[in-house]
Amino acid sequence: LSARFLFSELLRYEKERGKTDSTSRLVHELYFRDFVRFSSLIKGSQIFRLEGLYRRHPPGGWLQDATDVLSSWRLGQTGFPLVDAAMRELLATGHCSHS
């Protein structure tokens, strides 16, 4: 099952039956898939480094007290804006999206 085939079938379905929240979400996921794929082509192996794309470790390094690390992560207080925003959303709503 290719992404192109899935996309064309989604368009056909939407033309026949109309757009739904589910079809829109699936199209979004296909766009996000391509974004991640092409971003990784540009960034190369940097995406696998412990310090990430920006070459910085989490505050305090990796070997912190497990309780503090998990608490900061769970509360959205890691110091990494994308992670913090996602975790605060999860804490507030019980749902975490990447859109």
Side-chain angles (χ1 to χ4, degrees):
L1 180 64
S2 73
R4 281 186 184 163
F5 178 75
L6 182 57
F7 186 69
S8 68
E9 288 297 303
L10 276 168
L11 293 179
R12 183 185 61 75
Y13 180 91
E14 287 180 339
K15 189 175 182 179
E16 291 175 4
R17 299 183 184 180
K19 285 186 179 184
T20 67
D21 186 47
S22 295
T23 59
S24 295
R25 188 71 189 157
L26 199 47
V27 169
H28 170 79
E29 293 297 329
L30 287 171
Y31 289 144
F32 186 75
R33 170 192 171 270
D34 284 347
F35 168 76
V36 170
R37 244 180 120 184
F38 290 117
S39 295
S40 67
L41 287 173
I42 292 169
K43 299 295 183 181
S45 64
Q46 290 178 21
I47 63 173
F48 300 110
R49 292 186 181 145
L50 285 178
E51 64 272 12
L53 297 175
Y54 305 108
R55 296 181 177 269
R56 64 175 201 180
H57 286 281
W62 291 104
L63 301 175
Q64 302 175 39
D65 179 46
T67 305
D68 291 341
V69 172
L70 291 176
S71 178
S72 297
W73 176 67
R74 187 178 59 80
L75 297 172
Q77 298 171 345
T78 66
F80 290 86
L82 182 64
V83 172
D84 291 347
M87 294 310 295
R88 285 193 300 266
E89 179 185 17
L90 181 62
L91 186 62
T93 66
H95 180 265
C96 186
S97 67
H98 59 266
S99 56

